[in-house]
């Protein structure tokens, strides 16, 4: 019998509880920001586009709701952040979002084609945010990993530990899912190469012929090329696949709901999301104030306590227990197993790779 789908009632029940540590049965109280500088206060509203799902519900509790109370600026959050929508909004002059959760690569790639984002005002950003997370048209706001997830009841105790195991359909039989190239995503060529035996440190620059030859070996076993983060966890929950790539934070609610599933960190991709302000935002100043607030130490720690994504503020660790830090992708023991995603390579090669991937899917 398949496990029931994750309902919003289950999700809200998890979020209403104290911050839970997956697999540890303990809870922690979220730290509070009691006051903010006058420079971050204001009026009016901001319209924030997120990636939806568990992440959006966590963001409400971590920093949307506290910011609204402390600043006097209303936060209206929307699911479905999409770089192609931002491009259309800016080009038509109908900018519906003041702020969007996107990736550095998406911002850099779109800026190659025109002027689509406002510059970040770093004068008001907390000093605890290292230079590595800062760039002209965006500020990275969380660290996450794209990893292998599997049903623990599928392989009679055997545990897949990397992409060669994902590709091994004899040892680990069953349907799979992988990320496709729709909705601004990039196909997971890195995983295809590591499955073919390429060491992580030699993945970039990527050998496209070798990557697509590897993809061809697994193609018939991939029943879904997913585009949004909710899909792979639902596929696991409903037993439609036994293994899939997944955004690590999406697994927290699934595991807390009792679905027999786990993450294999080995050979995952270390990635980062950023805040970016679409060019022509009607509430640019308010959006900048929110960016500054959300990347302060305590709001960053609150997010990491609610969902296993790493912080971009060095001061956040002061508020995170050692046990919590151990399950974040930024933790040394996990970070050492991950390959850092090369945004620069993808900015230069994204269009050609996406076109080739779409042609390959049709063959």
């Amino acid at each position: 019998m398949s496990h029931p789908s994750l309902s919003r009632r289950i999700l809200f029940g998890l979020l209403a509880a104290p911050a839970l540590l997956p697999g540890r049965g303990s809870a922690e109280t979220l730290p509070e920001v009691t006051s903010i500088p006058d420079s971050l206060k204001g009026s009016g509203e901001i319209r924030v586009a997120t990636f939806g799902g568990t992440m959006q519900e966590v963001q409400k509790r971590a920093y949307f709701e506290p910011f609204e109370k402390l600043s006097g600026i209303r936060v209206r959050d929307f699911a479905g952040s999409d770089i192609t929508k931002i491009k259309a909004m800016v080009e038509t002059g109908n900018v519906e979002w003041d702020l969007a959760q996107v990736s550095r690569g998406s911002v850099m790639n779109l800026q190659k084609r025109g002027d689509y984002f406002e510059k970040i005002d770093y004068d008001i950003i907390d000093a605890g945010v290292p230079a590595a997370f800062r760039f002209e048209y965006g500020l990275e706001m969380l660290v996450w990993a794209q990893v292998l997830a599997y049903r623990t009841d599928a392989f009679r105790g055997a545990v897949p530990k990397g992409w060669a195991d994902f590709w091994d359909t004899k040892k680990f039989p069953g349907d799979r899912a992988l990320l496709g190239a729709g909705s601004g995503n990039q196909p997971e060529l890195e995983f295809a190469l590591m499955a073919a035996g390429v060491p992580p440190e030699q993945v970039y620059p990527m050998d496209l012929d070798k990557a697509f030859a590897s993809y061809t070996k697994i193609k018939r076993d991939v029943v879904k090329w997913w585009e949004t983060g909710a899909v792979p966890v639902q596929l696991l929950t409903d037993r439609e696949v036994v293994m899939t790539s997944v955004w690590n934070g999406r697994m927290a609610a699934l595991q807390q709901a009792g679905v027999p599933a786990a993450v294999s960190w080995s050979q995952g991709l270390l990635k980062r999301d950023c805040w970016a302000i679409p060019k022509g935002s009607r509430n640019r100043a308010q959006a900048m104030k929110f960016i500054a607030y959300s990347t302060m130490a305590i709001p960053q720690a609150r997010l990491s306590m609610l969902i296993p994504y790493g912080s971009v503020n060095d001061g956040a660790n002061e508020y995170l227990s050692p046990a919590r830090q151990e399950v974040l992708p930024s933790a040394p023991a996990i970070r050492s197993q991950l390959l850092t995603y090369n945004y620069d390579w993808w900015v230069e090669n994204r269009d050609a790779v996406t076109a080739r991937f779409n042609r390959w899917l049709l063959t």
Side-chain angles (χ1 to χ4, degrees):
M1 182 177 68
S2 66
H3 196 287
S5 299
L6 290 175
S7 69
R8 287 183 65 82
R9 183 173 61 83
I10 291 173
L11 175 60
F12 279 109
L14 293 171
L15 293 172
L20 299 175
L21 302 185
R24 298 180 182 269
S26 60
E28 295 180 314
T29 301
L30 296 176
E32 298 286 347
V33 178
T34 57
S35 64
I36 59 174
D38 288 343
S39 60
L40 299 188
K41 297 178 181 178
S43 59
E45 68 175 22
I46 55 171
R47 301 157 300 170
V48 184
T50 79
F51 290 137
T54 306
M55 181 64 191
Q56 184 175 354
E57 303 303 334
V58 163
Q59 287 173 308
K60 287 181 182 180
R61 189 174 173 194
Y63 42 56
F64 290 163
E65 292 172 355
F67 175 75
E68 187 170 283
K69 293 177 181 177
L70 290 165
S71 71
I73 299 170
R74 182 188 178 196
V75 179
R76 297 173 58 200
D77 52 298
F78 303 88
S81 180
D82 187 330
I83 202 72
T84 58
K85 292 180 181 178
I86 294 173
K87 181 176 184 293
M89 288 179 187
V90 174
E91 290 178 349
T92 61
N94 182 26
V95 181
E96 298 177 2
W97 300 333
D98 300 305
L99 188 63
Q101 179 181 358
V102 287
S103 72
R104 178 191 289 241
S106 295
V107 172
M108 292 167 60
N109 193 63
L110 195 52
Q111 280 297 112
K112 287 171 54 181
R113 294 159 169 75
D115 192 14
Y116 289 92
F117 296 96
E118 304 283 355
K119 292 183 179 180
I120 300 298
D121 178 7
Y122 281 104
D123 289 340
I124 64 172
I125 299 301
D126 191 89
V129 180
F133 297 117
R134 304 173 181 228
F135 63 110
E136 190 173 14
Y137 294 99
L139 176 60
E140 290 173 333
M141 37 68 85
L142 63 81
V143 178
W144 58 282
Q146 198 160 316
V147 293
L148 187 161
Y150 62 96
R151 286 194 63 98
T152 57
D153 58 357
F155 309 120
R156 298 182 179 180
V159 176
K161 295 182 179 179
W163 297 103
D165 285 346
F166 188 99
W167 258 246
D168 189 343
T169 57
K170 292 183 179 179
K171 184 177 180 180
F172 299 97
D175 291 334
R176 274 93 159 130
L178 286 169
L179 180 64
S183 300
N185 295 305
Q186 289 86 52
E188 298 160 322
L189 269 63
E190 294 91 344
F191 298 161
L193 287 171
M194 287 186 281
V198 177
E201 64 274 14
Q202 296 178 21
V203 164
Y204 299 109
M206 288 194 278
D207 182 334
L208 298 186
D209 290 340
K210 190 166 189 174
F212 280 96
S214 179
Y215 259 148
T216 298
K217 294 178 181 179
I218 196 71
K219 186 177 183 180
R220 68 176 184 176
D221 296 288
V222 177
V223 297
K224 181 69 175 180
W225 296 93
W226 57 274
E227 296 183 2
T228 61
V231 172
V233 291
Q234 197 64 61
L235 292 172
L236 285 172
T237 301
D238 295 340
R239 294 181 181 268
E240 293 185 36
V241 299
V242 295
M243 280 197 282
T244 180
S245 57
V246 70
W247 301 334
N248 79 281
R250 293 280 183 159
M251 291 292 289
L254 178 148
Q255 291 171 315
Q256 290 172 16
V259 177
V263 161
S264 173
W265 293 102
S266 179
Q267 298 183 334
L269 285 175
L270 187 69
K271 292 187 170 184
R272 306 176 299 277
D273 283 356
C274 74
W275 292 125
I277 302 173
K279 191 75 172 181
S281 159
R282 297 196 298 269
N283 302 297
R284 176 186 176 277
Q286 293 93 324
M288 267 306 317
K289 292 176 181 182
F290 172 77
I291 291 175
Y293 172 82
S294 67
T295 51
M296 292 168 60
I298 289 179
Q300 283 285 294
R302 288 170 63 92
L303 187 82
S304 292
M305 291 171 70
L306 290 166
I307 193 168
Y309 288 144
S311 166
V312 300
N313 191 306
D314 290 340
N317 285 342
E318 178 183 342
Y319 303 95
L320 297 172
S321 69
R324 188 55 175 170
Q325 292 184 49
E326 288 176 4
V327 302
L328 302 178
S330 51
I334 294 176
R335 171 67 185 85
S336 64
Q337 301 180 59
L338 304 175
L339 169 65
T340 299
Y341 186 78
N342 190 325
Y343 287 98
D344 291 333
W345 188 92
W346 275 104
V347 167
E348 294 301 319
N349 296 278
R350 174 181 171 179
D351 291 346
V353 169
T354 300
R356 180 169 177 176
F357 179 82
N358 289 333
R359 291 194 302 269
W360 172 83
L361 273 183
L362 297 175
T363 60

